[in-house]
């Protein structure tokens, strides 16, 4: 049985004026480093740095032709052994978490046919993709379940879209080499969908990057970092109001600020360990957590720290050195670490300085013998033209990200709003012209990692200062901190149509902190 249109409207009707967060609500906010509340699982925690790191398999195309490479992915329920000796039911792309990695070439189009064997509708979004609107994974562009007994979301009925268990996504990939990721984006249910396992890497490569001589092959490690909580029997815990994730929206009371887990997984393995040679490695960090921010540091530190070479939208103009990296949900940091600076046998721990105890630990590298290394880190990586924000006609808009209230089925519930409005597919916060540059001033009340679909942006300022140390390069997600203002410049190019921008704290996103922009 699907939600009726009326129930839905009732849910979205604003219950009075948006209010500030009450004190009881604030008590759920863990420290000041993430907006969210820790969900304590019943499973006993596995030992740290015992299980070997895994690298997600690279997906082979089912065929290649003049139109590009064609992939197929089946979304299904599967059993994984994540905690040693326990079985965990996941929702996985091809039944695995993380899903298989897609490796593509800039400018060579691909198609991905998704088949949905899950008990719920899903939506597939390629995060960071410069994708036509009909393939971007708009929150109501469902891949409906093959099993037709599953209740359909009313939006599918309304749009008459009853595609039978499959959807073909076409990606032109006219964008530079970078680390993207694909994940579930179902309206109101992205948090539980990603939490259960619907996330994978998509790496775009190009000739410009190939020519640089960066570490590659086994010395290039994609690292998807998340937090999760498990019950004593190994099942994933998520405080959803509706455990079937079919009709009732949102997380249960007290978790509206975000769900934080008590187990760290890297590529689906709890606190893994990996042996590395004494050589340079390229680490592609992705924070795929629902709500947790990380402050990554290596202990003991390498002589050159992290040498950042890229971020969300591609390579930086030149390498930048950091001794630690603050990373909000959905952000990517592409870094080089030179393990030849350590004595063979050194145990190097990746720690998270935003937390202590087990959640202050992420994974471990054990450094082996010094090895031959012909990789380089050139002084110039690519060219980044600053967007022209000074010419007449550049539109400046203000987007406010605040907590508020909604009336849901006659219950007053906490919510998250943009410019005072909850998400509605029919309301656009901006209508930028194709190829125009706009300045968006982002104003926030709490931690809100703000993500814009279609085009990456350049951070112009934070408060009265310039961009922060983690804002350089082409970003698609900015880490907005409590009571902060930031300005970003976006050029809307590629395609006309309707896209979303939203908070990438997935609980905030599901609780309506999303809006549309229409490229005209
Ligand atoms: Cu990673 Cu709209 O999302
Ligand atoms: Cu996205
Ligand atoms: Cu938020």
């Amino acid at each position: 049985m699907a939600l009726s249109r009326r129930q839905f409207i009732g849910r979205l009707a604003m219950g009075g004026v948006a209010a500030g967060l009450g004190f009881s609500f604030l008590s759920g906010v863990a420290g000041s480093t993430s907006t969210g509340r820790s969900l304590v699982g019943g499973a006993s925690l596995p030992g740290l740095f015992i299980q070997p790191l895994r690298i997600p398999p690279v997906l082979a195309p089912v065929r290649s032709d003049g139109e590009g490479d064609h992939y197929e992915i089946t979304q299904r329920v599967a059993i994984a052994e994540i905690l040693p000796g326990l079985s965990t039911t996941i929702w996985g792309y091809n039944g695995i978490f993380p899903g298989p990695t897609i490796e593509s070439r800039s400018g060579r189009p691909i198609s991905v046919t998704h088949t949905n064997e899950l008990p719920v509708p899903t939506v597939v979004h390629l995060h960071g993709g410069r994708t036509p609107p009909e393939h971007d994974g708009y929150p109501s562009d469902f891949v409906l379940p093959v099993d037709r007994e599953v209740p359909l979301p009313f939006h599918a009925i309304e749009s008459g879209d009853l595609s039978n268990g499959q959807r073909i996504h076409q990606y032109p990939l006219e964008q530079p080499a970078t680390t993207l990721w694909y994940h579930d984006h179902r309206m109101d249910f992205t948090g539980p969908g990603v939490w259960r396992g619907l996330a994978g890497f998509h790496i775009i490569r190009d000739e410009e990057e190939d020519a640089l001589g960066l570490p590659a092959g086994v010395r290039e490690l994609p690292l998807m970092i998340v937090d999760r909580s498990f019950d004593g029997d190994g099942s994933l815990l998520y405080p959803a109001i509706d455990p079937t994730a079919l009709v009732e929206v949102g997380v249960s009371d007290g978790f509206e600020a975000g769900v934080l887990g008590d187990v760290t997984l890297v590529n689906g393995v709890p606190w893994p360990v990996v042996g590395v040679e004494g050589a340079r490695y390229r680490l592609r960090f992705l924070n795929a957590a629902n709500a947790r921010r990380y402050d990554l540091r290596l202990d003991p530190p390498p002589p050159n720290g992290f040498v950042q070479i890229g971020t969300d939208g591609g390579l930086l103009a030149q390498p930048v050195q950091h001794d630690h990296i603050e990373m909000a949900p959905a952000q990517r940091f592409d870094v080089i670490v030179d393990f030849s600076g350590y004595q063979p046998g050194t145990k190097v721990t990746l720690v998270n300085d935003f937390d202590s105890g087990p959640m202050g630990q992420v994974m471990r590298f054990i450094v082996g013998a010094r090895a031959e290394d012909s990789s380089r880190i050139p002084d110039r990586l690519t060219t980044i033209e600053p967007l022209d924000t000074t010419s007449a006609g550049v539109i400046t808009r203000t987007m406010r990200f605040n907590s508020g209230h909604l009336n849901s089925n006659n219950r007053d519930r906490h919510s998250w709003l943009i410019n005072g409005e909850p998400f509605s597919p029919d309301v656009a916060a901006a209508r930028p012209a194709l190829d125009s540059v706009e300045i968006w001033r982002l104003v926030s009340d709490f931690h809100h990692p703000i993500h814009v679909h279609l085009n990456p942006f350049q951070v112009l300022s934070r408060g009265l200062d310039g961009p922060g140390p983690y804002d350089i390069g082409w970003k698609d997600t900015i880490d907005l901190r409590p009571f902060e203002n930031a300005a970003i410049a976006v050029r809307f190019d590629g395609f006309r149509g309707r896209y979303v921008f939203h908070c990438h704290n997935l609980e905030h996103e599901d609780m309506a902190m999303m809006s549309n922009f229409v490229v005209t």
Side-chain angles (χ1 to χ4, degrees):
M1 151 233 61
L3 260 190
S4 77
R5 181 77 183 154
R6 239 187 85 216
Q7 280 170 301
F8 185 77
I9 299 285
R11 171 167 84 65
L12 283 187
M14 288 272 299
V17 181
L21 288 180
F23 184 73
S24 60
F25 181 72
L26 253 180
S27 66
V29 178
S32 62
T33 57
S34 296
T35 295
R37 170 168 161 189
S38 197
L39 176 61
V40 181
S44 50
L45 298 184
L48 273 53
F49 318 129
I50 292 169
Q51 302 197 61
L53 178 74
R54 285 193 311 256
I55 302 298
V58 174
L59 190 64
V62 289
R63 84 201 139 77
S64 299
D65 57 25
E67 276 156 31
D69 300 320
H70 305 282
Y71 296 88
E72 292 176 359
I73 290 178
T74 301
Q75 304 176 20
R76 54 187 171 83
V77 177
I79 306 288
E81 184 176 334
I82 297 174
L83 302 180
L86 293 177
S87 295
T88 302
T89 301
I90 61 158
W91 292 353
Y93 294 113
N94 284 351
I96 56 175
F97 171 68
T101 299
I102 293 181
E103 291 208 5
S104 61
R105 300 293 301 182
S106 171
R108 181 170 168 81
I110 70 162
S111 75
V112 185
T113 301
H114 279 267
T115 303
N116 181 4
E117 293 183 357
L118 294 169
V120 294
T122 58
V123 170
V124 183
H125 171 56
L126 176 59
H127 180 122
R130 191 163 167 275
T131 305
E134 64 274 28
H135 295 289
D136 191 51
Y138 191 80
S140 55
D141 282 350
F142 303 107
V143 194
L144 295 175
V146 172
D147 177 359
R148 303 310 298 275
E149 297 304 301
V150 170
L152 298 179
F154 78 96
H155 262 290
I157 296 159
E158 200 181 48
S159 67
D161 181 0
L162 298 172
S163 55
N164 206 355
Q166 283 197 334
R167 182 180 282 269
I168 303 174
H169 285 267
Q170 283 166 343
Y171 302 112
L173 302 175
E174 283 171 353
Q175 57 188 111
T178 191
T179 313
L180 306 183
W181 60 303
Y182 62 102
H183 61 78
D184 192 31
H185 212 300
R186 175 164 55 124
M187 189 155 121
D188 302 333
F189 294 96
T190 296
V194 172
W195 184 270
R196 289 178 165 97
L198 294 174
F201 277 104
H202 181 132
I203 294 172
I204 305 180
R205 304 185 184 278
D206 67 13
E207 273 156 36
E208 183 192 14
E209 186 188 81
D210 291 348
L212 296 177
L214 299 168
V218 295
R219 294 190 188 153
E220 180 191 325
L221 306 176
L223 300 171
M224 178 192 288
I225 305 173
V226 304
D227 54 342
R228 293 290 185 269
S229 300
F230 299 86
D231 212 345
D233 62 359
S235 57
L236 280 165
L237 285 173
Y238 186 85
I241 290 181
D242 168 17
T244 68
L246 280 170
V247 279
E248 180 71 272
V249 174
V251 291
S252 57
D253 291 345
F255 287 95
E256 299 91 339
V259 180
L260 305 174
D262 62 0
V263 173
T264 299
L265 304 178
V266 182
N267 295 346
V269 181
W271 295 287
V273 60
V274 65
V276 290
E277 295 176 302
R280 284 187 207 96
Y281 277 69
R282 178 177 187 176
L283 309 180
R284 296 179 184 255
F285 290 124
L286 158 63
N287 179 352
N290 283 33
R292 187 179 291 274
R293 298 168 69 245
Y294 290 90
D295 183 7
L296 301 176
R297 181 171 58 83
L298 288 170
D299 176 27
N304 297 319
F306 292 120
V307 179
Q308 188 193 352
I309 56 165
T311 186
D312 308 344
L315 292 168
L316 305 184
Q318 61 245 341
V320 173
Q321 219 173 298
H322 299 282
D323 53 11
H324 66 122
I325 290 178
E326 295 180 21
M327 185 166 64
Q331 293 188 315
R332 285 86 73 209
F333 285 86
D334 197 341
V335 304
I336 308 286
V337 172
D338 190 353
F339 289 103
S340 73
Y342 292 104
Q343 285 305 319
T346 308
K347 294 174 175 146
V348 183
T349 308
L350 182 66
V351 299
N352 167 26
D353 284 332
F354 279 157
D355 287 282
S356 55
M359 295 315 286
Q361 312 283 311
V362 180
M363 64 175 289
R364 176 167 285 173
F365 302 89
I366 298 184
V367 182
R370 199 159 296 183
E372 158 142 18
D373 189 354
S374 57
S375 71
R376 293 178 293 134
I377 312 178
D379 293 337
R380 309 273 333 157
L381 299 164
T382 191
T383 309
I384 296 183
E385 300 278 347
L387 292 174
D388 178 8
T389 52
T390 54
S391 50
V394 170
I395 292 178
T396 300
R397 303 180 198 268
T398 299
M399 303 293 182
R400 292 178 189 280
F401 301 87
N402 290 104
S403 65
H405 286 270
L406 290 183
N407 189 305
S408 151
N409 295 334
N410 294 322
R411 212 149 66 84
D412 186 48
R413 297 212 48 219
H414 207 277
S415 175
W416 298 93
L417 309 171
I418 299 180
N419 291 343
E421 299 270 355
F423 178 59
S424 158
D426 315 314
V427 178
R431 294 181 173 272
L434 186 67
D435 294 326
S436 68
V437 173
E438 296 198 348
I439 298 171
W440 286 11
R441 289 184 59 251
L442 312 175
V443 182
S444 81
D445 57 355
F446 283 90
H447 287 285
H448 296 301
I450 302 304
H451 169 50
V452 182
H453 282 219
L454 180 62
N455 297 120
F457 51 78
Q458 294 174 354
V459 179
L460 303 175
S461 61
R462 276 184 187 267
L464 299 176
D465 298 323
Y470 311 110
D471 293 334
I472 31 184
W474 288 107
K475 305 298 292 183
D476 61 40
T477 307
I478 178 173
D479 182 19
L480 266 194
R481 293 165 303 193
F483 306 104
E484 192 168 50
N485 281 346
I488 62 172
V490 199
R491 182 169 49 224
F492 294 92
D493 68 17
F495 309 95
R496 290 191 167 86
R498 182 183 62 167
Y499 293 89
V500 289
F501 68 101
H502 56 89
C503 180
H504 219 290
N505 174 314
L506 298 183
E507 283 72 39
H508 298 192
E509 175 182 342
D510 285 344
M511 299 192 70
M513 193 171 251
M514 173 146 67
S515 189
N516 300 284
F517 63 94
V518 180
V519 182
T520 59

